[in-house]
Amino acid sequence: MQLVSVIIPVYNVEQYIADTVRSVLAQTYSNFEVLIVDDGSPDRSVEICETEFDDPRIRIIRQENRGLAGARNTGIRHANGEYLAFLDSDDLWRPEKLAKHVDHLNNSPPVGVSFCPSALMDEEGQLLGKYLMPQLTHIDIPSLLRGSPMGNGSTPVIRREVFAEIRFSENRYGTVENFYFDESFRQSEDIECWLRIAILTDWKFQGIPEPLTLYRVNTGGLSANFIKQLESKEKVLEKIRAYAPEAIAPWENMARAYELRYLARSAVRVKNGSMAVDLMNRSLLTYWQILLEEPRRSILTLMAAYALHLMPSSVYLWFEGQGTKLNRSPS
């Protein structure tokens, strides 16, 4: 049985971390190690891990705060497994997750990154009846630039060899280290890494259809991050342009348009109508072909943005409620 290294970055998650670790220990596949990376967390997260769990498969690694990418890199450096699995410290796994990903990788030699859909839950852990349904096959550079096909950072299980092919060395903290995720990114670190895998290696991305990850939706502070998220996406494009300009050139405007539409949808969720309209208009001006490539999602986002912006809030909320009822209807 292949050893799987489960890497859990920890920072300010004392209300969630115990359930997250329990979801790993409950896996039907038992040959794993759990690397809990304390990224300088100021709360009781690590103390909870130390006092509530007595399992020899758990290791706690401490470091000064480096951010999510830095915590994952530390976990990769300490990992012993043939396969590396990533779990954000407020998300959960279904018990059969590791078993199914290990089986998938064992039976699919060209696949370097295995992932799955996610079921959404609220901040209290209640399932919302909604899912992040990723593109499972034929993932290439354009599809990665349209968004994150894997949905979130708690879904992938990745072969160690994949990281060996994309690592780079830098002296960022007083000594030369190997890096895998780029620690200069505090947002978009996932998609930057997945793009580097797609551009620099021959490994395939492939998903399995079952929602084996439970992803916690946290809307706190979302609206304040729109500009930062746009800047982060531009930084990703700039980095790729530096080492593989021919790979990115045909897709830059498309990538910007899809990011703008994603942020417009986020603005709708937090009920910021004027921001949603602005972002969606910019998306269409940047790359109008998005209407042809994904007409339903694009048109619905545009309609929701303008409805939220123009309607009284009480009227909009009534229409939103009717739409939710229709979506839940068995017909």
Side-chain angles (χ1 to χ4, degrees):
M1 296 174 68
Q2 287 81 3
L3 177 67
V4 180
S5 296
V6 180
I7 297 169
I8 307 177
V10 171
Y11 187 84
N12 265 3
V13 285
E14 62 183 19
Q15 67 269 47
Y16 303 128
I17 187 60
D19 287 340
T20 297
V21 175
R22 287 191 196 102
S23 78
V24 179
L25 298 181
Q27 292 296 300
T28 58
Y29 187 89
S30 60
N31 191 28
F32 59 80
E33 60 177 1
V34 184
L35 306 179
I36 295 173
V37 183
D38 174 14
D39 193 35
S41 183
D43 68 354
R44 294 183 57 252
S45 297
V46 177
E47 179 186 341
I48 289 169
C49 294
E50 291 174 323
T51 57
E52 291 204 16
F53 303 106
D54 182 19
D55 191 305
R57 295 172 294 182
I58 296 176
R59 282 192 284 154
I60 297 175
I61 304 162
R62 291 178 169 84
Q63 66 180 27
E64 293 185 5
N65 181 260
R66 292 191 181 189
L68 180 59
R72 287 176 177 167
N73 283 335
T74 296
I76 294 169
R77 294 187 198 107
H78 285 81
N80 296 310
E82 295 176 58
Y83 299 152
L84 280 65
F86 297 90
L87 177 57
D88 290 346
S89 49
D90 56 350
D91 295 335
L92 305 173
W93 283 347
R94 297 197 190 278
E96 64 274 18
K97 178 176 173 68
L98 286 183
K100 294 196 172 184
H101 285 291
V102 168
D103 184 64
H104 181 212
L105 290 169
N106 285 349
N107 290 291
S108 308
V111 175
V113 182
S114 175
F115 59 96
C116 66
S118 300
L120 302 185
M121 59 182 175
D122 64 19
E123 294 179 26
E124 285 70 47
Q126 298 298 311
L127 291 174
L128 299 173
K130 299 178 181 179
Y131 300 87
L132 291 175
M133 299 302 295
Q135 176 182 334
L136 299 180
T137 59
H138 301 101
I139 293 172
D140 54 13
I141 294 168
S143 59
L144 287 165
L145 287 170
R146 291 187 188 102
S148 178
M150 284 170 278
N152 61 82
S154 296
T155 70
V157 180
I158 303 175
R159 296 182 193 270
R160 172 181 288 277
E161 298 98 309
V162 174
F163 287 111
E165 291 189 33
I166 64 163
R167 70 184 172 205
F168 58 96
S169 298
E170 283 185 354
N171 185 343
R172 292 182 61 91
Y173 306 101
T175 185
V176 176
E177 296 176 295
N178 287 330
F179 292 82
Y180 308 91
F181 291 88
D182 189 336
E183 294 184 28
S184 67
F185 287 83
R186 288 297 177 117
Q187 291 181 311
S188 303
E189 60 278 308
D190 288 351
I191 195 63
E192 188 281 323
C193 186
W194 312 150
L195 281 162
R196 207 159 3 104
I197 293 170
I199 293 169
L200 299 179
T201 82
D202 293 324
W203 291 105
K204 304 296 184 186
F205 296 76
Q206 192 173 96
I208 53 182
E210 297 138 282
L212 303 172
T213 294
L214 306 182
Y215 177 73
R216 197 180 304 271
V217 178
N218 183 349
T219 59
L222 181 61
S223 61
N225 289 329
F226 294 137
I227 301 301
K228 288 184 178 179
Q229 289 184 66
L230 284 172
E231 291 173 349
S232 182
K233 190 58 171 280
E234 285 295 330
K235 188 177 175 183
V236 171
L237 297 176
E238 180 182 350
K239 178 174 179 177
I240 301 172
R241 204 182 297 123
Y243 70 84
E246 72 290 342
I248 194 70
W251 314 113
E252 287 202 39
N253 282 341
M254 180 205 72
R256 292 186 183 97
Y258 276 85
E259 180 69 11
L260 287 162
R261 190 191 66 182
Y262 166 76
L263 294 175
R265 291 168 66 85
S266 299
V268 168
R269 284 198 295 272
V270 299
K271 306 297 185 291
N272 189 333
S274 59
M275 178 66 77
V277 167
D278 177 64
L279 290 165
M280 197 59 209
N281 286 344
R282 289 168 63 185
S283 173
L284 296 175
L285 288 171
T286 301
Y287 183 77
W288 65 266
Q289 293 91 334
I290 195 171
L291 287 171
L292 302 178
E293 294 174 0
E294 292 192 358
R296 183 175 184 274
R297 179 169 292 189
S298 299
I299 292 169
L300 286 176
T301 304
L302 185 66
M303 291 172 61
Y306 272 94
L308 180 61
H309 182 54
L310 298 173
M311 288 180 178
S313 59
S314 58
V315 176
Y316 176 83
L317 290 173
W318 184 85
F319 276 107
E320 184 181 57
Q322 296 305 304
T324 300
K325 291 178 182 177
L326 287 173
N327 286 335
R328 291 177 179 172
S329 170
S331 60

